[in-house]
Amino acid sequence: MKVAVFGLGYVGSVTAACLAANGHDVWGVDVDTAKVDPITEGRSPVVEPGLDELMASGVAAGRLHATTDPRLALEGADVSLICVGTPSTASGSTDLTYIRRAVQDIAAAAKDVAPPDSGFHSIVIRSTVPPGTVDDVVGPALAGELSTGGFTFGTAMCPEFLREGSGLADFFAPPFVVVGTADARVGDALTELFGFLPTPVQVVDVRTAEALKYACNAFHATKVSFANEMGRIFRFYGVDSRQVMEIFCQDTSLNISPYYLRPGFAFGGSCLPKDLRSVLHLARTNDTDLPLLAGTLATNELIVRDVVDRVLASPGREVALLGLSFKTATDDLRESPSVELAERLIGKGYNLRIYDSIVNPSRLVGANKRHVESKLPHLQRVLTGDPVEALRGADLALVSTTDAEAVEALLSHPPARTIDLSGRLGAQVEALAGYEGVGW
């Protein structure tokens, strides 16, 4: 395929050289001759181990070119990859100036050059951009140019996951290759373009692909800050936090795993809230701030508050709560966010009926019993053993359990509105009128 790469900074240079190394005819485009000239001479404009050699090989083979003229790159090209900078503005928002300029350059150049044999050209954002950029910025910029000079355009987002210092290895062995597009032709083109990689191309919704890079980088930053916060507090107790984290990472069931990494309702139970408060208390006694962990408790509270606010904004006073314990398949109510939710709604005058397949007030003992009695002293009155009974007459259902009886009851007796606190209720429930997820 002939590929135009707009922007020859770090991402563009690595992308161009690696695609050329695998047989594609690649044309890099940049307004800065300080980036174009080195590539023309077979050198990399950026420092990256192995990139000089890869570029020299691509130029010598006639598969890698660089130019300041978009028309040379676009002539007969199948795909344009936009790899320009997206820096922060003074307010912290993403500056999309270079994205807009690249799209305008492509549209203008298309008027003067021959299209590929198919007449179809894929314009693909590779830079990190906020969700909605392809739909709200790239699409409108092309609205008047959808058939220019014989070109027909399709758009996509294909985020990169390259680390400086290991960019070549990351390109050739990516964790995933994700293409966000609503156009099957673009999906097919990029599946062919990246077909030499060992990772299959996943075609997803455009905004999912745009959001993915932010989720990855936010999590990476969180991991760095978490490890540093552990070090800042444990050093006061003579602990080598490097050893703690080395052992910590050996747990691939919970610590380094997909577990817990699902949007849903707040955390609770007998361990997480208590131990997090304890760590924060250790920090306070040593005059140490742990803003990441303090923010974790604040975020948990905001999730509960958000659901309450959504109920308050909904018409009707009859609410069914399906699931009361802090997780399915247990009767542990200690610091359950569903108990907290129930307490707040009852306090605001809602008529609440609760169903939980396991919770039986007569069998609760010890701290578990004391906690629920302090929060919901009239639990026996609002608890029902039948999910259909809980749903009967309800204006709204709040669902945190995946219990089969609860799901069946929802399907047979759906209320006007359902808020899914679990995310695991299944496609049939999600297809119900009035369904909404707590975070999707």
Side-chain angles (χ1 to χ4, degrees):
M1 302 177 73
K2 181 176 179 181
V3 184
V5 177
F6 285 80
L8 293 174
Y10 179 79
V11 172
S13 292
V14 171
T15 298
C18 291
L19 290 175
N22 283 271
H24 295 296
D25 181 22
V26 183
W27 288 72
V29 184
D30 205 291
V31 296
D32 190 350
T33 56
K35 296 177 182 177
V36 170
D37 291 346
I39 295 178
T40 301
E41 298 165 2
R43 297 181 290 107
S44 172
V46 299
V47 175
E48 178 64 26
L51 191 54
D52 272 328
E53 294 81 359
L54 202 62
M55 283 198 163
S57 175
V59 171
R63 292 192 301 267
L64 180 59
H65 321 266
T67 179
T68 58
D69 188 349
R71 292 171 298 182
L72 293 177
L74 206 64
E75 178 85 34
D78 303 286
V79 176
S80 285
L81 300 176
I82 297 178
C83 304
V84 297
T86 51
S88 293
T89 66
S91 66
S93 65
T94 303
D95 186 348
L96 298 176
T97 299
Y98 302 118
I99 295 285
R100 292 187 177 92
R101 186 175 300 165
V103 174
Q104 291 164 358
D105 287 346
I106 293 169
K111 299 176 182 178
D112 300 326
V113 301
D117 292 340
S118 67
F120 183 77
H121 186 79
S122 300
I123 298 178
V124 183
I125 304 299
R126 193 101 163 122
S127 310
T128 303
V129 295
T133 298
V134 170
D135 291 338
D136 302 335
V137 176
V138 178
L142 292 170
E145 313 286 352
L146 291 180
S147 184
T148 299
F151 279 80
T152 299
F153 296 127
T155 58
M157 173 69 187
C158 181
E160 51 80 22
F161 299 95
L162 307 175
R163 296 168 296 171
E164 294 191 37
S166 60
L168 300 189
D170 290 344
F171 187 96
F172 289 120
F176 26 65
V177 181
V178 174
V179 174
T181 185
D183 193 320
R185 295 170 297 178
V186 180
D188 291 342
L190 293 187
T191 298
E192 179 183 349
L193 179 67
F194 293 112
F196 61 89
L197 295 174
T199 308
V201 174
Q202 299 180 61
V203 179
V204 300
D205 176 78
V206 175
R207 295 183 184 224
T208 296
E210 290 170 322
L212 178 62
K213 183 61 181 291
Y214 282 106
C216 290
N217 281 351
F219 186 53
H220 301 162
T222 299
K223 288 165 69 177
V224 172
S225 297
F226 172 75
N228 285 338
E229 287 200 357
M230 293 296 95
R232 285 168 54 205
I233 183 57
F234 290 147
R235 67 180 180 181
F236 290 106
Y237 297 89
V239 174
D240 186 339
S241 57
R242 295 172 300 179
Q243 187 175 21
V244 171
M245 296 309 296
E246 182 180 352
I247 300 171
F248 171 97
C249 291
Q250 294 172 18
D251 178 359
T252 56
S253 296
L254 293 181
N255 292 348
I256 310 299
S257 78
Y259 207 83
Y260 295 133
L261 289 173
R262 286 181 62 98
F265 200 33
F267 62 77
S270 61
C271 296
L272 300 188
K274 170 182 71 69
D275 291 347
L276 188 51
R277 285 194 297 268
S278 181
V279 170
L280 291 171
H281 176 74
L282 294 177
R284 287 193 300 273
T285 59
N286 288 281
D287 294 323
T288 300
D289 289 328
L290 302 181
L292 175 66
L293 295 184
T296 301
L297 280 180
T299 291
N300 214 47
E301 160 61 22
L302 288 173
I303 293 172
V304 177
R305 189 185 307 171
D306 177 64
V307 174
V308 172
D309 289 343
R310 287 159 74 171
V311 174
L312 294 176
S314 181
R317 309 295 295 179
E318 303 292 329
V319 177
L321 177 61
L322 306 185
L324 188 62
S325 62
F326 88 98
K327 64 189 295 187
T328 300
T330 175
D331 70 346
D332 196 344
L333 301 175
R334 287 173 292 179
E335 302 213 41
S336 167
S338 293
V339 171
E340 182 66 28
L341 183 59
E343 180 192 29
R344 295 188 193 189
L345 292 177
I346 290 173
K348 291 182 180 297
Y350 282 86
N351 297 319
L352 193 67
R353 288 185 300 282
I354 301 172
Y355 166 78
D356 191 294
S357 62
I358 295 179
V359 172
N360 182 338
S362 66
R363 296 178 59 186
L364 299 178
V365 297
N368 196 16
K369 180 179 181 180
R370 290 192 297 274
H371 177 76
V372 75
E373 286 178 344
S374 68
K375 292 285 187 178
L376 297 173
H378 304 297
L379 176 61
Q380 187 71 59
R381 179 173 57 83
V382 296
L383 193 67
T384 175
D386 182 356
V388 173
E389 180 62 28
L391 288 166
R392 186 170 287 120
D395 303 298
L396 167 70
L398 303 169
V399 189
S400 64
T401 182
T402 56
D403 172 70
E405 285 189 54
V407 172
E408 290 171 10
L410 269 176
L411 294 174
S412 61
H413 296 76
R417 188 179 179 204
T418 298
I419 300 180
D420 179 1
L421 307 179
S422 165
R424 301 178 178 89
L425 300 182
Q428 286 183 289
V429 172
E430 295 194 17
L432 292 174
Y435 170 89
E436 59 190 80
V438 67
W440 51 91

